[in-house]
Amino acid sequence: MMEHSARNAADAVSFDGFSLFPTQRQLLKDGKPVSIGSRAFDLLCALVARPGEVLSTQELISIVWRNIFVDEANLRVNLTHLRRALGEGEGKRYIVNIPGRGYMFRALLATPQTRPTSPGSAFAQAAASSTADLMGEEPQPLSLPRRISRVIGRDDVIQSLAAKLTNRRFLTVVGPGGIGKTTVALSVADQLLSNVNGQAILIDLAPILDPAQVPNSVAAALGLAIRTHDESESILEFLKGRTLLLIFDGCEHLAEAVASLVERIYLAKSNVYVLATSREPLRVVGENIHRLEPLAVPPEDDRLTAADIQAYSAVELFVERLGGGLEVTPESVFRIAEICRRLDGVALAIELAAGRAGTYGIEGLAARLDDRFKLLTLGRRTALPRQQTLRATIDWSYTLLAEQEQKILRHCGIFPDVFSLEGLAAVLGTGEQCDLGDAVESLVDKSLIVVKVTRDSVHYRLLDSMRAYAVDRLGEVDERNAAARRHALHVCGALGAERLQAGANLSSGLHITVADVRAALVWCFSGNDDRRVAVSLATDAGAFFLERSLLTECADWSEKALAILTDDERGSHQEVELLSNFAMPILFTRGGNDVVRSSLSRAIALLENRDDYSRWARLLRGLYVCHLREGNFRGMREVAERSQIQTFAEQSRSQNSWMMGLCQYFSGEHAAATETLSRALTILPVKRRVGETGVDPRVNAYNALARSQWFRGFADQALLTSGRNLAESAALDHPVSHCIALTWMAPIPLWTGDLDLAEQRIAELVETANRGALAPSRLAGSAWQGVIATRRGDHKTGLHLLQSSIDGMIGINNRLLHIIFLGHLAEALAAGGRLQDAIRAIDDAMALVDLYGETVNMPLLLRLRGDYLLALDPNDLDAAQTHYMRSLEWAERQGALAMELRTTLSLMKVHEMRGNSPIGRALLMAVYRRFTEGFSTADLVEARRVLSLAEGS
């Protein structure tokens, strides 16, 4: 065949400055001989004889080494020599390796008498005709490459696309590079051909650079002889009456040429099906577009188990492609999930990463993902060149872009999450807004930008790998620092606009994310010599972080900004804001301390003589909460009274009345507390933003109101109020507020005897506190779990949980619940027979009452001390009765009917032991008759039982 092809060639054939003389066995470059080995020369003649066609490895060996058995390695060595002789690697490529199929010559050819042509040159025509003659039959299309690995996570998509292609004949699978378009297309072909009696032909367009070569490359794939510059008519004629599936793979760089041919094939109304893969749609008649989504990745959810995570297709792919014989453990699964999330579920990136796990281990791999373009470089040798490394995959798309599109894509990389057109325009700088929407839409079509459409807005984002690539490109052209500064200024402006609109509950229209704020702050505080922007950004970010319960970040950035204030800025509104934003988060994450109190006190003092009562009132609320968390109830009342006197606006004074209502509750003034808090709740807005102190007044008002209702004997109302409180706090999407509500509402069902409901609320408290890293709330949840354990008979667990929680709260100076939990600790100690220790715990609690002024729990503490004295010495009835009588006095003074009932039940036992059962029964009946609701609660059910027994006796 070699000799036959040479005989039918003209004197020479030329390409790109080369002249090939087969009969003289000479190759010239610009008229000068090129040194080339005999086997390499024969390879060149064989490839040039059939340009645009793929010659298999075995076919090339049979041509060049006729009747000689040689290893494929010989072919690869001589191809390397040939490429070196042709100067490949200097920006030019003449010979293309088609993975799994063979090699193809792709340069334009010319004879000395003609202009350069596509594969239809005289030399090629003669070779193709000779080949057909030798075959003795019409040319046969090339078959599909054999799939060497299992397809993961695409079964539903493949079935759906096969059905759609069967019905509609023309489908384009669109998606970013490496997402798995070719894999899906080949699998769709298998599915389709199982239902349709025909053949599938893969036309790999990646090696083709000239759009004019598209028709003849398709013809070559169909096995047609190349006789003209454009074989489109031959293709259409060949397809008549045939049932074929044509797969056009990788159309994006030849979209117009492919679209023109495909549209003609589709409109010919034949039995030909067309399946295309591209990074952008072809936009022609009959095209049905399917955007291929990434593989499913597990969300960041602490509730997911290792088994749950392994069910996600991205993780399944990683595990199957795992290199180095590594074993997947339940612990490593969580790290694999993180890797898959950071790689956005892109199949190629996941396969490349899994292949490097054998070198670095899964932990090491996760740690190195920030340098992913160096890391993810060793793809399959059989993969297309553009898919052998992650960077090559993205480079392929980037180089196809116009210069302005490249600039826009680079600047998109500065956004760590979603972004808006306004934000992108700001980052690009002045003069870059013209036609930006059209340019971004074009990048979306090319699968380089992901669009997120909601009911109210349209936002965009880059996949994580594309973002890393864009940032690298920014650095290469020295644009990164300027873009980061413009991004920081944009974020600063958006935060300021958001704060201005907050009071009117309006949107600023400038969408920013938490990731935006973090990235801008990191840049500002990374030695970029922009101190003023850094301080402004940290100041405005405080409220943003507080509303999202990102307390640690709020405190950290505020502290950094306070440290760089100049003397001129000290005493300013900025310092006031930063002091507040520094102090309040620490209160909720680590508990109150001297630093918090001094910071708030300084901020309040700075506002004393300024006409800014609203901000001053907010800071007073912050100081109030500081005293509240420390259990300093006298300090709370001082602040509440100061707020009522010095807050001049009537509405502000009314809204601050919840602070006085809480003071009344903790003092046991339940009737007054109910009235004050009910009035406050009619004024405080239901739909609201959480205040800049990170505290929601409605939640605190509800907390105290529900408990006062229960103490007063209105158990049903208390349950309704607690349910309303939890529903509202959950709707705020503010973990701090919801944790506070759960902490204070958990006891309501506990007091009414519904342990299951109490346990549910406590579990939710612990989960929410853990998710938000809220140490005080987590400790409170653990303590309430101890109470439940004690009530269910497990006093050892109860004692451990209560004691460790109390110690933890003391360690962070959070004493708000100290007294009540000492009471429950005493119950656990007594349940374990440690009565003396239980009495000491009660004495400790009563000492704290004297110190801080929280008297609401005095009826409880006195009753419990009487119970334990009686259990310790049943003969000392006087000591127990004295405590019960004092408990009743406190309960009557406070209007705490529920406490009167419990104490009277205890006192009745003393009367029975004295032989005065009628007196005890009369006392209990008198208290019972004062109740108007809550008759199904545990205390009233117990009272009826005792009264019934007493009456029967």
Side-chain angles (χ1 to χ4, degrees):
M1 183 179 296
M2 186 72 172
E3 295 166 353
H4 186 87
S5 298
R7 258 196 326 271
N8 283 277
D11 292 337
V13 64
S14 301
F15 59 93
D16 198 25
F18 286 97
S19 297
L20 175 64
F21 298 90
T23 55
Q24 287 89 358
R25 297 187 65 77
Q26 189 175 35
L27 177 66
L28 305 179
K29 171 66 173 175
D30 297 329
K32 297 179 181 179
V34 176
S35 176
I36 184 171
S38 62
R39 298 296 187 189
F41 186 88
D42 290 344
L43 280 172
L44 178 60
C45 290
L47 290 165
V48 169
R50 292 160 62 182
E53 293 187 44
V54 180
L55 278 69
S56 70
T57 300
Q58 290 304 319
E59 189 174 3
L60 283 170
I61 290 174
S62 67
I63 292 172
V64 177
W65 287 275
R66 282 179 299 171
N67 303 318
I68 301 174
F69 174 79
V70 297
D71 189 79
E72 288 185 17
N74 289 321
L75 174 63
R76 290 196 293 271
V77 168
N78 281 278
L79 279 169
T80 300
H81 293 328
L82 174 57
R83 284 174 165 148
R84 188 178 298 121
L86 295 176
E88 286 195 1
E90 300 175 1
K92 296 182 180 180
R93 194 86 178 272
Y94 305 108
I95 301 167
V96 179
N97 175 24
I98 310 300
R101 298 170 60 195
Y103 298 87
M104 181 179 73
F105 189 82
R106 70 177 186 182
L108 296 178
L109 301 177
T111 65
Q113 297 81 22
T114 61
R115 62 179 174 82
T117 68
S118 190
S121 66
F123 187 80
Q125 292 170 25
S129 298
S130 300
T131 303
D133 291 341
L134 288 174
M135 291 173 64
E137 55 187 40
E138 79 169 31
Q140 294 297 309
L142 299 169
S143 61
L144 293 180
R146 182 171 58 88
R147 194 165 61 239
I148 60 175
S149 58
R150 177 171 80 91
V151 178
I152 293 174
R154 301 297 193 188
D155 290 349
D156 292 343
V157 171
I158 291 165
Q159 290 184 10
S160 173
L161 294 184
K164 184 179 290 187
L165 185 59
T166 301
N167 294 326
R168 302 183 184 178
R169 288 186 47 236
F170 180 13
L171 178 68
T172 303
V173 180
V174 176
I179 204 165
K181 301 184 294 296
T182 302
T183 298
V184 167
L186 294 175
S187 299
V188 169
D190 289 342
Q191 185 84 14
L192 181 73
L193 294 181
S194 66
N195 302 320
V196 176
N197 185 21
Q199 187 175 3
I201 313 299
L202 176 66
I203 301 109
D204 182 11
L205 300 169
I208 303 171
L209 301 181
D210 184 357
Q213 292 186 4
V214 169
N216 287 2
S217 297
V218 174
L222 292 172
L224 299 177
I226 309 299
R227 296 182 174 88
T228 68
H229 178 68
D230 184 346
E231 291 290 342
S232 296
E233 297 301 329
S234 298
I235 293 169
L236 295 173
E237 184 65 29
F238 176 79
L239 294 177
K240 286 181 179 178
R242 298 176 186 271
T243 300
L244 285 175
L245 168 60
L246 301 181
I247 305 172
F248 292 83
D249 189 34
C251 302
E252 55 272 354
H253 62 303
L254 302 166
E256 189 172 341
V258 174
S260 176
L261 178 60
V262 164
E263 186 174 54
R264 294 185 65 187
I265 293 172
Y266 174 77
L267 293 176
K269 302 295 183 184
S270 62
N271 289 326
V272 176
Y273 300 82
V274 175
L275 177 58
T277 72
S278 179
R279 301 186 187 187
E280 61 178 308
L282 298 178
R283 300 187 191 87
V284 291
V285 174
E287 181 184 32
N288 294 273
I289 299 168
H290 176 84
R291 288 198 175 271
L292 189 62
E293 297 295 324
L295 294 172
V297 298
E300 293 186 77
D301 189 339
D302 294 337
R303 294 170 295 184
L304 290 178
T305 65
D308 294 332
I309 289 172
Q310 286 183 284
Y312 285 84
S313 55
V315 175
E316 187 181 358
L317 177 65
F318 185 97
V319 171
E320 177 150 313
R321 304 291 195 268
L322 197 59
L326 291 176
E327 182 179 350
V328 177
T329 65
E331 294 75 21
S332 65
V333 165
F334 293 94
R335 187 63 76 186
I336 292 171
E338 177 192 338
I339 292 170
C340 292
R341 277 194 297 270
R342 293 185 62 188
L343 295 175
D344 295 301
V346 175
L348 173 64
I350 291 170
E351 288 189 344
L352 292 172
R356 301 310 299 272
T359 302
Y360 297 108
I362 293 172
E363 286 289 336
L365 182 67
R368 287 171 169 80
L369 276 186
D370 285 338
D371 199 12
R372 66 189 65 191
F373 294 117
K374 290 183 180 178
L375 179 69
L376 307 183
T377 57
L378 298 179
R380 297 190 307 272
R381 288 188 174 89
T382 56
L384 296 174
R386 72 176 190 270
Q387 292 179 347
Q388 289 188 352
T389 73
L390 183 60
R391 187 176 184 94
T393 298
I394 303 177
D395 272 337
W396 171 265
S397 295
Y398 184 80
T399 54
L400 296 175
L401 299 178
E403 184 178 344
Q404 183 65 5
E405 288 180 318
Q406 289 181 347
K407 181 174 183 178
I408 291 170
L409 184 63
R410 290 196 302 270
H411 282 77
C412 290
I414 212 69
F415 294 95
D417 198 357
V418 298
F419 57 88
S420 62
L421 284 178
E422 294 86 354
L424 181 56
V427 167
L428 282 164
T430 56
E432 300 292 347
Q433 299 185 32
C434 298
D435 301 323
L436 182 58
D438 291 341
V440 169
E441 184 177 348
S442 174
L443 292 170
V444 170
D445 284 344
K446 293 177 172 66
S447 304
L448 298 173
I449 294 179
V450 179
V451 63
K452 297 184 69 175
V453 181
T454 63
R455 186 178 62 180
D456 302 321
S457 61
V458 177
H459 292 102
Y460 307 90
R461 68 180 289 261
L462 298 185
L463 296 180
D464 202 49
S465 296
M466 180 61 74
R467 183 180 302 112
Y469 178 88
V471 171
D472 280 356
R473 285 288 191 174
L474 272 177
E476 289 172 7
V477 296
D478 200 24
E479 294 174 333
R480 184 172 181 178
N481 203 48
R485 187 178 192 280
R486 289 193 292 267
H487 176 257
L489 290 171
H490 163 67
V491 171
C492 199
L495 287 172
E498 184 174 284
R499 293 193 67 187
L500 287 175
Q501 299 294 339
N505 288 321
L506 298 174
S507 170
S508 68
L510 297 174
H511 182 85
I512 54 171
T513 66
V514 171
D516 275 315
V517 179
R518 288 170 177 158
L521 284 165
V522 167
W523 182 83
C524 284
F525 283 91
S526 297
N528 289 294
D529 197 27
D530 220 331
R531 188 199 58 78
R532 195 174 293 275
V533 175
V535 171
S536 296
L537 183 60
T539 303
D540 288 334
F544 182 87
F545 283 134
L546 282 173
E547 287 179 7
R548 290 156 179 80
S549 292
L550 299 171
L551 305 183
T552 301
E553 289 181 79
C554 183
D556 289 347
W557 291 115
S558 297
E559 186 176 23
K560 284 182 173 66
L562 285 167
I564 62 173
L565 288 179
T566 63
D567 291 341
D568 291 340
E569 290 167 333
R570 297 200 180 279
S572 66
H573 281 298
Q574 277 187 322
E575 185 187 5
V576 171
E577 290 294 311
L578 290 169
L579 285 167
S580 174
N581 294 338
F582 164 67
M584 292 308 300
I586 292 177
L587 192 60
F588 290 104
T589 55
R590 302 200 294 267
N593 56 38
D594 293 339
V595 174
V596 171
R597 199 180 309 103
S598 64
S599 297
L600 289 174
S601 296
R602 172 170 170 76
I604 291 169
L606 289 173
L607 289 175
E608 286 287 357
N609 299 316
R610 299 183 186 179
D611 188 18
D612 194 347
Y613 300 116
S614 175
R615 186 174 300 187
W616 180 84
R618 289 200 305 270
L619 287 169
L620 270 185
R621 289 198 292 270
L623 185 58
Y624 177 89
V625 173
C626 181
H627 291 315
L628 175 66
R629 306 292 282 190
E630 292 177 328
N632 184 358
F633 301 101
R634 292 190 177 91
M636 287 167 53
R637 188 173 283 270
E638 289 175 6
V639 173
E641 290 172 348
R642 184 179 177 187
S643 172
Q644 293 294 293
I645 294 169
Q646 291 185 247
T647 304
F648 291 91
E650 179 62 33
Q651 184 176 6
S652 181
R653 180 157 50 246
S654 299
Q655 288 186 348
N656 280 342
S657 63
W658 67 272
M659 294 193 292
M660 183 57 71
L662 259 67
C663 292
Q664 291 166 338
Y665 163 75
F666 285 113
S667 296
E669 303 168 52
H670 295 300
T674 301
E675 181 182 353
T676 302
L677 295 167
S678 297
R679 184 171 62 249
L681 284 166
T682 63
I683 299 169
L684 294 168
V686 175
K687 293 183 178 180
R688 71 275 194 191
R689 295 160 62 103
V690 177
E692 292 176 10
T693 57
V695 178
D696 185 72
R698 277 187 74 87
V699 167
N700 282 288
Y702 269 134
N703 287 342
L705 176 61
R707 293 165 76 98
S708 279
Q709 287 171 332
W710 183 84
F711 275 107
R712 295 180 69 200
F714 301 118
D716 293 343
Q717 292 181 43
L719 284 168
L720 287 172
T721 300
S722 69
R724 192 176 299 121
N725 186 17
L726 292 176
E728 280 193 22
S729 65
L732 288 174
D733 193 23
H734 187 255
V736 170
S737 296
H738 195 45
C739 278
I740 291 171
L742 287 164
T743 297
W744 289 90
M745 295 299 92
I748 302 297
L750 188 67
W751 292 340
T752 60
D754 190 345
L755 292 186
D756 291 339
L757 178 57
E759 203 160 21
Q760 289 174 20
R761 291 182 177 179
I762 293 164
E764 186 179 358
L765 167 61
V766 172
E767 179 186 348
T768 307
N770 284 333
R771 197 163 56 242
L774 304 173
S777 296
R778 184 168 58 241
L779 290 168
S782 180
W784 284 124
Q785 287 176 327
V787 175
I788 291 288
T790 302
R791 295 289 173 90
R792 292 198 184 279
D794 185 1
H795 66 271
K796 289 184 179 179
T797 299
L799 183 60
H800 169 72
L801 290 172
L802 280 160
Q803 187 63 69
S804 60
S805 298
I806 292 171
D807 292 343
M809 289 179 183
I810 292 172
I812 60 173
N813 198 26
N814 187 308
R815 299 177 180 272
L816 175 57
L817 296 168
H818 194 178
I819 292 173
I820 187 64
F821 284 144
L822 280 173
H824 288 301
L825 178 68
E827 290 180 316
L829 288 165
R834 297 169 57 182
L835 294 171
Q836 291 285 11
D837 290 336
I839 292 171
R840 277 192 286 272
I842 295 296
D843 290 343
D844 290 343
M846 293 176 70
L848 291 175
V849 170
D850 292 338
L851 180 63
Y852 292 118
E854 181 195 2
T855 57
V856 66
N857 289 305
M858 281 301 292
L860 167 68
L861 297 174
L862 288 165
R863 176 179 64 82
L864 289 176
R865 197 172 196 282
D867 287 346
Y868 303 148
L869 287 171
L870 186 61
L872 192 64
D873 185 359
N875 296 317
D876 192 359
L877 298 178
D878 290 342
Q881 186 166 349
T882 299
H883 281 81
Y884 294 148
M885 296 306 296
R886 289 181 61 199
S887 173
L888 286 172
E889 289 172 6
W890 274 99
E892 289 169 3
R893 191 185 314 147
Q894 294 177 354
L897 182 58
M899 287 289 99
E900 285 189 59
L901 179 64
R902 290 189 170 183
T903 301
T904 302
L905 281 166
S906 293
L907 180 60
M908 187 173 176
K909 294 177 183 176
V910 173
H911 284 297
E912 288 176 346
M913 294 171 75
R914 292 186 186 277
N916 296 326
S917 294
I919 296 176
R921 180 179 180 279
L923 290 171
L924 182 58
M925 180 61 75
V927 173
Y928 181 84
R929 285 175 175 171
R930 289 160 57 195
F931 281 88
T932 59
E933 61 177 72
F935 294 105
S936 62
T937 60
D939 288 349
L940 288 174
V941 169
E942 174 64 11
R944 284 199 303 275
R945 186 189 69 79
V946 171
L947 288 171
S948 176
L949 289 174
E951 185 176 359
S953 62

